[in-house]
Amino acid sequence: MQHTWEEIKRHIMTCTGCPLSRTRHRPVIGRGDYQADIMLIAEAPGAQEDQQGIPFVGRSGEILDNLLRDCALRREEIYITNILKCHPPGNRDPKEEEKEACFPYLKYETFLLKPHVIVCLGRVAAQRIISPDFKITGQHGTWTYRKNCALTATYHPSAILRDPSKYEIARADFEEIVKKRTAQN
């Protein structure tokens, strides 16, 4: 069965597939250009995203916006989403059953978008999307290819908040992402 963007949004808004549906304020649905060739995937919404229902707001969103701006990208021309659509209490790592409950939504988003480049933001996303043993410190910026799509990972903006020295590393990764985007088109 093929779904539309509106159907996916409706399913996410009413989802009760895991206990997080009882503690969330708002599910956080992916945002951006539905024709984008770059898809950013993080692990789960944070507390501010949970309040607003929008991915990457607050300080992490500012870091992401700066990385995008430094590489001449804008949110309006990419698509940003999370593996989980609801905020895990205390910003803990998502549990396996929570990732499994939400993963079909991410699959539908990816199917509808058909991105040329997928960027995992952080270890948790990279381990779910690229490889279960992915090491963000040693493997960020490396490329994997699947079904005409280039996949990579870089530091999550919240990691950069904790360690600002990672900003330049992530910026260099994003510069390569822009180059890969051009090469994939």
Side-chain angles (χ1 to χ4, degrees):
M1 174 191 265
Q2 186 171 344
H3 292 288
T4 66
W5 287 108
E6 285 306 312
E7 288 171 326
I8 292 170
K9 284 181 189 177
R10 191 169 47 253
H11 286 294
I12 292 170
M13 293 300 291
T14 60
C15 180
T16 57
C18 79
L20 292 180
S21 66
R22 294 189 295 274
T23 60
R24 71 176 180 226
H25 288 94
R26 288 187 176 94
V28 179
I29 299 167
R31 280 221 172 158
D33 182 354
Y34 292 153
Q35 308 293 309
D37 52 3
I38 296 177
M39 180 182 205
L40 304 184
I41 303 172
E43 64 187 67
Q48 290 185 30
E49 289 84 0
D50 181 51
Q51 293 295 320
Q52 296 182 40
I54 300 169
F56 282 95
V57 295
R59 292 177 43 208
S60 287
E62 290 173 18
I63 296 287
L64 179 61
D65 289 341
N66 289 339
L67 286 166
L68 295 172
R69 185 193 65 240
D70 287 352
C71 299
L73 289 172
R74 295 174 301 123
R75 281 186 187 233
E76 296 79 25
E77 63 184 306
I78 61 173
Y79 185 81
I80 305 170
T81 194
N82 290 291
I83 295 171
L84 264 61
K85 307 309 180 193
C86 298
H87 170 63
N91 272 350
R92 66 166 166 71
D93 280 355
K95 295 178 180 177
E96 281 306 311
E97 58 269 19
E98 295 163 349
K99 289 187 267 187
E100 287 303 314
C102 275
F103 205 67
Y105 299 129
L106 181 62
K107 282 183 166 182
Y108 281 120
E109 288 174 293
T110 306
F111 176 78
L112 288 174
L113 191 65
K114 294 178 181 45
H116 296 127
V117 178
I118 292 177
V119 181
C120 297
L121 298 175
R123 169 189 56 83
V124 173
Q127 288 178 343
R128 181 65 172 116
I129 306 299
I130 299 173
S131 172
D133 61 350
F134 195 92
K135 307 285 187 232
I136 196 75
T137 302
Q139 292 178 278
H140 70 86
T142 60
W143 293 93
T144 301
Y145 300 88
R146 288 191 205 126
K147 298 182 182 177
N148 299 318
C149 185
L151 294 88
T152 192
T154 192
Y155 291 105
H156 191 287
S158 63
I160 296 168
L161 283 172
R162 291 188 298 275
D163 181 358
S165 69
K166 289 182 167 85
Y167 185 88
E168 289 305 315
I169 297 167
R171 186 183 56 72
D173 289 343
F174 268 88
E175 287 174 355
E176 291 303 313
I177 290 161
V178 170
K179 289 178 188 173
K180 186 65 68 176
R181 168 198 204 186
T182 304
Q184 292 291 105
N185 287 330

